[in-house]
Amino acid sequence: MSKGQFWRQSAAEGFTLIEVLASVIIVALAMTALAPALTLVAYRRAMSERVELANRLAQEEVDRIRTLVDIELSAAPKAFQDPAQRDRLPRVGEDPLANTPPPDEMPADANAGNYTHKDNYSLRLAQVQVPGRNPEEYVIQTFRDEGAPCIDRRENRVIQGVPCSFRLGVRVYHRFSFDPDTRQALPGLGTELVSANQNLANADVWLFPMATSFVEINPAANLGDVCRQIAITIGADPIERCRAFPLPVGPVET
């Protein structure tokens, strides 16, 4: 067999060991170059999912308080003179409301949705099952302003100290915003919403809430409220036009 025939036969039978090793090295170098980019993509995707989940938790907290006002507090406002009932509402925050400080620690546990009250805000711990990952914990910080007192329309009285209309603030922080051993807030924990301005691959991202919400909470309007609002809108006297729906004029409940 000639030398030319030997090389042609080897090439026809497959790759040489040197060619295989060269291919493996090239693939390894390519994967090494791509690994940081793939890791960053996976991290950003996980962070986006956390932000989406935090926004859902914030909306659920708003809906929970709004339902409490509409169904229970407005129907029986005097019941909320009981401190145990009033504790179902969040604490009054700073003025202006956005100046309410961030939480200083995590609540002890997910205590069936009840609040842990601080001086000017209230906290709840939510544990969420995430497909493909371990359960994640979020701290929901809720606070409100003094608001307007409730009206007991059955007895035609204003119930002082029990707010039916108020401005509500909600912030949602991830568990990573707190020290895993002491449960204290990380130094420098802020109140500004995490956004595209913060690099989601930066560890400082945990110094910001994943979601925030500021909304007005009001009881569902009755016919008298609607009548008076329409009268004001058209420039008419709301008392004269809405005599069938008089405002409370009885003594103030203290």
Side-chain angles (χ1 to χ4, degrees), residues 204-254:
D204 288 346
V205 72
W206 304 117
L207 295 180
F208 303 92
M210 297 282 104
T212 64
S213 180
F214 288 87
V215 297
E216 295 283 347
I217 300 293
N218 297 290
N222 58 26
L223 291 176
D225 298 329
V226 174
C227 176
R228 282 183 283 274
Q229 186 59 47
I230 293 175
I232 292 172
T233 302
I234 65 176
D237 182 352
I239 297 178
E240 181 65 28
R241 287 295 185 92
C242 305
R243 288 186 178 276
F245 310 102
L247 285 169
V249 293
V252 172
E253 183 78 19
T254 60

Coordinates of all heavy atoms in Angstrom, one line a residue, residues 204-254:
D204 N -27.0 44.9 44.8 CA -27.8 46.0 45.4 C -29.2 46.0 45.0 O -30.0 46.8 45.6 CB -27.1 47.3 45.0 CG -25.8 47.6 45.6 OD1 -25.5 46.9 46.6 OD2 -25.0 48.5 45.2
V205 N -29.6 45.1 44.1 CA -31.1 45.1 43.7 C -31.9 44.7 44.9 O -33.1 45.1 45.0 CB -31.3 44.1 42.6 CG1 -31.1 42.7 43.1 CG2 -32.6 44.3 41.9
W206 N -31.4 44.0 45.9 CA -32.2 43.6 47.1 C -32.4 44.7 48.0 O -33.1 44.6 49.0 CB -31.5 42.4 47.8 CG -31.2 41.3 46.9 CD1 -30.0 40.8 46.5 CD2 -32.2 40.5 46.2 NE1 -30.1 39.7 45.7 CE2 -31.5 39.5 45.4 CE3 -33.6 40.5 46.1 CZ2 -32.1 38.6 44.6 CZ3 -34.2 39.6 45.3 CH2 -33.5 38.6 44.6
L207 N -31.8 45.9 47.8 CA -32.0 47.1 48.7 C -33.2 47.9 48.2 O -33.5 49.0 48.8 CB -30.8 48.0 48.6 CG -29.5 47.3 49.2 CD1 -28.3 48.3 49.1 CD2 -29.7 46.9 50.7
F208 N -34.0 47.3 47.3 CA -35.2 48.0 46.8 C -36.4 47.1 46.9 O -36.3 45.9 46.8 CB -35.0 48.5 45.4 CG -33.8 49.4 45.2 CD1 -32.6 48.8 44.8 CD2 -33.9 50.7 45.4 CE1 -31.5 49.7 44.7 CE2 -32.8 51.6 45.2 CZ -31.6 51.0 44.8
P209 N -37.6 47.6 47.1 CA -38.8 46.8 47.0 C -39.1 46.3 45.6 O -38.8 47.0 44.6 CB -39.9 47.7 47.5 CG -39.4 49.1 47.3 CD -38.0 49.0 47.4
M210 N -39.6 45.1 45.5 CA -39.9 44.5 44.2 C -41.1 45.1 43.6 O -41.4 45.1 42.4 CB -40.1 43.0 44.3 CG -38.8 42.2 44.8 SD -37.6 42.0 43.4 CE -36.4 43.2 43.9
A211 N -42.0 45.7 44.4 CA -43.3 46.3 44.0 C -43.7 47.3 45.0 O -43.5 47.2 46.2 CB -44.3 45.2 43.8
T212 N -44.4 48.3 44.5 CA -45.0 49.3 45.4 C -46.4 49.7 44.8 O -46.6 49.6 43.6 CB -44.2 50.6 45.5 OG1 -44.1 51.2 44.2 CG2 -42.8 50.3 46.0
S213 N -47.3 50.2 45.7 CA -48.6 50.6 45.2 C -49.1 51.6 46.2 O -49.0 51.5 47.5 CB -49.6 49.4 45.2 OG -50.8 49.8 44.7
F214 N -49.7 52.7 45.7 CA -50.4 53.8 46.5 C -51.8 54.0 45.9 O -51.9 54.3 44.7 CB -49.6 55.1 46.5 CG -48.3 55.0 47.4 CD1 -47.1 54.6 46.8 CD2 -48.3 55.4 48.7 CE1 -46.0 54.5 47.5 CE2 -47.2 55.3 49.5 CZ -46.0 54.9 48.9
V215 N -52.8 53.7 46.7 CA -54.2 53.7 46.2 C -55.1 54.4 47.2 O -54.8 54.5 48.4 CB -54.7 52.3 45.8 CG1 -53.9 51.7 44.8 CG2 -54.7 51.5 47.1
E216 N -56.2 54.8 46.7 CA -57.3 55.4 47.5 C -58.3 54.2 47.9 O -58.7 53.5 47.0 CB -58.1 56.5 46.8 CG -57.2 57.7 46.6 CD -57.0 58.6 47.8 OE1 -57.8 58.3 48.8 OE2 -56.2 59.5 47.8
I217 N -58.6 54.1 49.1 CA -59.6 53.1 49.6 C -60.8 53.8 50.0 O -60.8 54.6 50.9 CB -59.0 52.2 50.7 CG1 -57.7 51.5 50.3 CG2 -60.1 51.2 51.2 CD1 -58.0 50.4 49.2
N218 N -61.9 53.5 49.4 CA -63.2 54.1 49.7 C -64.3 53.0 49.8 O -64.2 52.1 49.0 CB -63.6 55.2 48.7 CG -62.6 56.3 48.7 OD1 -62.6 57.1 49.6 ND2 -61.8 56.4 47.6
P219 N -65.3 53.2 50.6 CA -66.4 52.2 50.6 C -67.2 52.3 49.3 O -67.2 53.4 48.7 CB -67.2 52.6 51.8 CG -66.9 54.0 52.1 CD -65.4 54.2 51.7
A220 N -67.9 51.3 49.0 CA -68.7 51.3 47.8 C -69.7 52.4 48.0 O -70.4 52.6 49.0 CB -69.4 50.0 47.6
A221 N -69.9 53.2 46.9 CA -70.9 54.3 47.0 C -72.3 53.8 47.0 O -72.7 52.9 46.4 CB -70.7 55.2 45.8
N222 N -73.2 54.5 47.9 CA -74.6 54.2 47.9 C -75.3 55.2 47.0 O -74.7 56.1 46.4 CB -75.1 54.2 49.3 CG -74.9 55.5 50.0 OD1 -74.8 56.5 49.4 ND2 -74.9 55.5 51.4
L223 N -76.6 55.0 46.9 CA -77.4 55.9 46.1 C -77.3 57.4 46.5 O -77.3 58.3 45.6 CB -78.9 55.5 46.0 CG -79.2 54.1 45.4 CD1 -80.6 53.7 45.5 CD2 -78.7 54.1 43.9
G224 N -77.3 57.6 47.8 CA -77.1 59.0 48.2 C -75.8 59.6 47.8 O -75.8 60.8 47.4
D225 N -74.7 58.9 47.9 CA -73.4 59.4 47.5 C -73.5 59.7 46.0 O -72.9 60.7 45.5 CB -72.3 58.3 47.8 CG -72.2 58.1 49.2 OD1 -72.4 59.0 50.0 OD2 -71.8 57.0 49.6
V226 N -74.0 58.8 45.2 CA -74.1 59.0 43.7 C -75.0 60.2 43.4 O -74.6 61.1 42.6 CB -74.7 57.7 43.0 CG1 -74.9 58.0 41.6 CG2 -73.8 56.6 43.2
C227 N -76.1 60.4 44.1 CA -77.0 61.5 43.8 C -76.3 62.8 44.1 O -76.3 63.8 43.4 CB -78.3 61.4 44.7 SG -79.4 62.8 44.6
R228 N -75.6 62.9 45.3 CA -74.9 64.1 45.7 C -73.8 64.4 44.7 O -73.6 65.6 44.4 CB -74.4 64.0 47.1 CG -75.5 64.2 48.1 CD -75.0 64.1 49.6 NE -74.7 62.8 50.0 CZ -75.6 62.0 50.5 NH1 -76.9 62.4 50.7 NH2 -75.3 60.8 50.9
Q229 N -73.1 63.4 44.2 CA -72.0 63.7 43.3 C -72.5 64.2 42.0 O -71.9 65.1 41.4 CB -71.2 62.4 43.1 CG -69.9 62.6 42.2 CD -69.0 63.6 42.8 OE1 -68.7 63.5 44.0 NE2 -68.5 64.5 42.0
I230 N -73.6 63.6 41.5 CA -74.2 64.1 40.3 C -74.7 65.6 40.4 O -74.5 66.4 39.5 CB -75.4 63.2 39.8 CG1 -74.8 61.8 39.4 CG2 -76.1 63.8 38.7 CD1 -75.9 60.8 39.1
A231 N -75.3 65.9 41.6 CA -75.8 67.2 41.8 C -74.7 68.2 41.8 O -74.8 69.3 41.2 CB -76.6 67.3 43.1
I232 N -73.6 67.9 42.4 CA -72.4 68.8 42.4 C -71.9 69.0 41.0 O -71.5 70.1 40.6 CB -71.3 68.2 43.4 CG1 -71.8 68.3 44.8 CG2 -70.0 69.0 43.2 CD1 -70.9 67.6 45.8
T233 N -71.8 67.9 40.3 CA -71.3 67.9 38.9 C -72.1 68.9 38.0 O -71.5 69.6 37.2 CB -71.2 66.5 38.3 OG1 -70.5 65.7 39.1 CG2 -70.7 66.6 36.9
I234 N -73.4 68.9 38.2 CA -74.3 69.7 37.3 C -74.5 71.1 37.9 O -75.3 71.9 37.3 CB -75.6 69.0 37.0 CG1 -76.4 68.9 38.3 CG2 -75.4 67.7 36.3 CD1 -77.8 68.3 38.1
G235 N -73.9 71.4 39.1 CA -74.0 72.7 39.7 C -75.3 72.9 40.5 O -75.6 74.0 40.8
A236 N -76.0 71.8 40.9 CA -77.2 71.9 41.6 C -76.9 71.8 43.1 O -75.8 71.4 43.5 CB -78.2 70.8 41.2
D237 N -77.9 72.1 43.9 CA -77.7 72.0 45.4 C -77.9 70.6 45.8 O -79.0 70.0 45.7 CB -78.8 72.9 46.1 CG -78.6 72.9 47.6 OD1 -77.8 72.1 48.1 OD2 -79.3 73.6 48.3
P238 N -76.8 69.9 46.3 CA -76.9 68.5 46.6 C -77.9 68.2 47.7 O -78.6 67.1 47.7 CB -75.5 68.1 47.0 CG -74.8 69.4 47.4 CD -75.5 70.4 46.6
I239 N -78.1 69.1 48.7 CA -79.0 68.8 49.8 C -80.4 68.9 49.2 O -81.3 68.1 49.6 CB -78.8 69.8 50.9 CG1 -77.4 69.6 51.5 CG2 -79.9 69.7 52.0 CD1 -77.0 70.6 52.6
E240 N -80.7 70.0 48.4 CA -82.1 70.1 47.9 C -82.4 69.0 46.9 O -83.6 68.5 47.0 CB -82.1 71.5 47.2 CG -83.5 71.8 46.6 CD -84.6 72.0 47.7 OE1 -84.2 72.4 48.8 OE2 -85.8 71.7 47.4
R241 N -81.5 68.7 46.1 CA -81.8 67.7 45.0 C -81.9 66.2 45.6 O -82.5 65.4 45.0 CB -80.8 67.7 43.9 CG -80.9 68.9 43.0 CD -82.2 68.9 42.2 NE -82.2 70.0 41.2 CZ -81.8 69.9 40.0 NH1 -81.3 68.7 39.6 NH2 -81.9 70.9 39.2
C242 N -81.2 66.0 46.7 CA -81.1 64.6 47.3 C -81.7 64.5 48.7 O -81.2 63.8 49.5 CB -79.6 64.2 47.3 SG -78.8 64.4 45.7
R243 N -82.9 65.1 48.9 CA -83.5 65.1 50.2 C -83.9 63.6 50.5 O -84.0 63.3 51.7 CB -84.8 66.0 50.2 CG -84.4 67.4 50.2 CD -85.7 68.3 50.3 NE -85.4 69.7 50.4 CZ -85.0 70.3 51.5 NH1 -84.9 69.7 52.6 NH2 -84.8 71.6 51.5
A244 N -84.1 62.8 49.5 CA -84.5 61.4 49.8 C -83.3 60.6 50.4 O -83.5 59.5 50.9 CB -85.0 60.7 48.5
F245 N -82.1 61.2 50.3 CA -80.9 60.5 50.8 C -80.2 61.5 51.7 O -79.1 62.0 51.4 CB -80.0 60.1 49.7 CG -80.7 59.3 48.6 CD1 -81.0 60.0 47.4 CD2 -81.0 58.0 48.7 CE1 -81.6 59.3 46.4 CE2 -81.6 57.3 47.7 CZ -82.0 58.0 46.5
P246 N -80.7 61.7 52.9 CA -80.1 62.7 53.8 C -78.7 62.3 54.4 O -78.5 61.1 54.5 CB -81.1 62.9 54.9 CG -81.8 61.6 55.0 CD -81.9 61.1 53.5
L247 N -77.9 63.2 54.6 CA -76.6 63.0 55.2 C -76.8 62.8 56.7 O -77.8 63.3 57.3 CB -75.6 64.1 55.0 CG -75.0 64.2 53.6 CD1 -74.3 65.6 53.5 CD2 -74.0 63.1 53.4
P248 N -75.9 62.1 57.4 CA -76.0 61.9 58.9 C -76.0 63.2 59.6 O -75.1 64.1 59.3 CB -74.8 61.0 59.2 CG -74.5 60.3 58.0 CD -74.8 61.3 56.9
V249 N -76.9 63.5 60.5 CA -76.9 64.7 61.3 C -77.0 64.4 62.8 O -77.2 65.3 63.6 CB -78.1 65.6 60.8 CG1 -77.9 66.1 59.4 CG2 -79.4 64.8 61.0
G250 N -76.9 63.1 63.1 CA -77.0 62.8 64.5 C -75.8 63.0 65.3 O -74.8 63.6 64.8
P251 N -75.8 62.7 66.6 CA -74.6 63.0 67.4 C -73.4 62.2 67.0 O -73.5 61.1 66.3 CB -75.1 62.5 68.8 CG -76.2 61.5 68.5 CD -76.8 62.0 67.3
V252 N -72.2 62.7 67.3 CA -71.0 62.1 66.9 C -70.7 61.0 67.9 O -70.7 61.2 69.1 CB -69.8 63.1 66.8 CG1 -68.5 62.4 66.7 CG2 -70.1 64.1 65.7
E253 N -70.3 59.8 67.4 CA -69.9 58.7 68.3 C -68.5 58.8 68.7 O -67.6 58.9 67.8 CB -70.1 57.3 67.5 CG -69.8 56.1 68.4 CD -71.0 55.8 69.3 OE1 -72.1 56.3 69.1 OE2 -70.7 55.0 70.3
T254 N -68.2 58.9 69.9 CA -66.8 59.1 70.4 C -66.3 57.8 71.0 O -67.0 56.8 71.2 CB -66.7 60.2 71.4 OG1 -67.5 59.8 72.5 CG2 -67.1 61.5 70.8

